Amino acid sequence: MSDETIVADPSRFARAAALARKGRSLFAAYIAGATRRHVAAKEPRRGNEGGNGSGTAVITRTRTQTRRPNMYRVLLLNDDYTPMEFVVLVLRRYFNKGPEEATRIMLHVHHHGVGECGVFTYEIAETKVTQVMDYARKHQHPLQCIMEKK
């Protein structure tokens, strides 16, 4: 148990007591207030409050559109020191490749100098690059993994 003192808002209790004397609860008052606001929003504007007096209004509805996230390619770079078996292990462990596909990508990296491991959103690509680089350093291999915007 801590020695902290909890102080409540006294105006809230005063409002609750006043509503209780009228036979209503805070929740009922909230619902009534929400209903009143909702009904008032549906009623047309009366009078000439800053308008041109015609009583018409233009209601614009903004529609939010979601964009697809930018995609990034995760690439392995060839070097002369990292064993081929280690590259296959990395592809299988961090990119969920099967043995045949991992071997195919590893050979592509070996022959062409670079190979694509996968295409991901920015956060996932960044995480995979970091994981691969940390794993390679932990096992003392100079394997390089980068990401580029697709």
Side-chain angles (χ1 to χ4, degrees):
M1 204 81 190
S2 67
D3 294 336
E4 295 179 22
T5 305
I6 299 174
V7 179
D9 182 14
S11 64
R12 198 166 150 209
F13 291 114
R15 183 166 182 233
L19 288 171
R21 282 192 293 273
K22 292 180 183 177
R24 295 171 54 192
S25 69
L26 273 175
F27 182 72
Y30 171 76
I31 296 299
T35 305
R36 266 184 267 135
R37 272 185 256 127
H38 185 65
V39 170
K42 287 186 176 179
E43 293 177 3
R45 190 187 314 182
R46 303 211 194 307
N48 195 5
E49 295 111 12
N52 60 3
S54 66
T56 61
V58 176
I59 299 173
T60 59
R61 200 178 275 181
T62 58
R63 188 173 286 198
T64 58
Q65 276 195 330
T66 55
R67 284 189 310 144
R68 301 197 122 230
N70 293 328
M71 301 303 280
Y72 290 81
R73 297 170 58 199
V74 177
L75 306 171
L76 279 180
L77 304 179
N78 190 34
D79 63 73
D80 294 334
Y81 303 103
T82 305
M84 293 181 179
E85 295 81 16
F86 184 78
V87 175
V88 170
L89 175 69
V90 165
L91 289 166
R92 294 189 70 190
R93 177 174 286 185
Y94 293 106
F95 298 99
N96 299 320
K97 304 294 183 187
E100 295 83 21
E101 189 177 7
T103 303
R104 183 184 57 76
I105 294 171
M106 177 271 301
L107 288 173
H108 190 273
V109 170
H110 183 69
H111 292 298
H112 297 95
V114 65
E116 183 179 294
C117 304
V119 179
F120 308 97
T121 60
Y122 180 82
E123 291 82 10
I124 294 172
E126 186 178 42
T127 301
K128 291 202 181 275
V129 167
T130 304
Q131 288 174 335
V132 169
M133 295 291 285
D134 290 345
Y135 189 71
R137 296 297 162 266
K138 180 181 172 187
H139 288 88
Q140 299 178 351
H141 294 298
L143 182 64
Q144 293 292 308
C145 186
I146 61 170
M147 61 187 244
E148 70 177 20
K149 196 170 186 175
K150 186 167 183 175

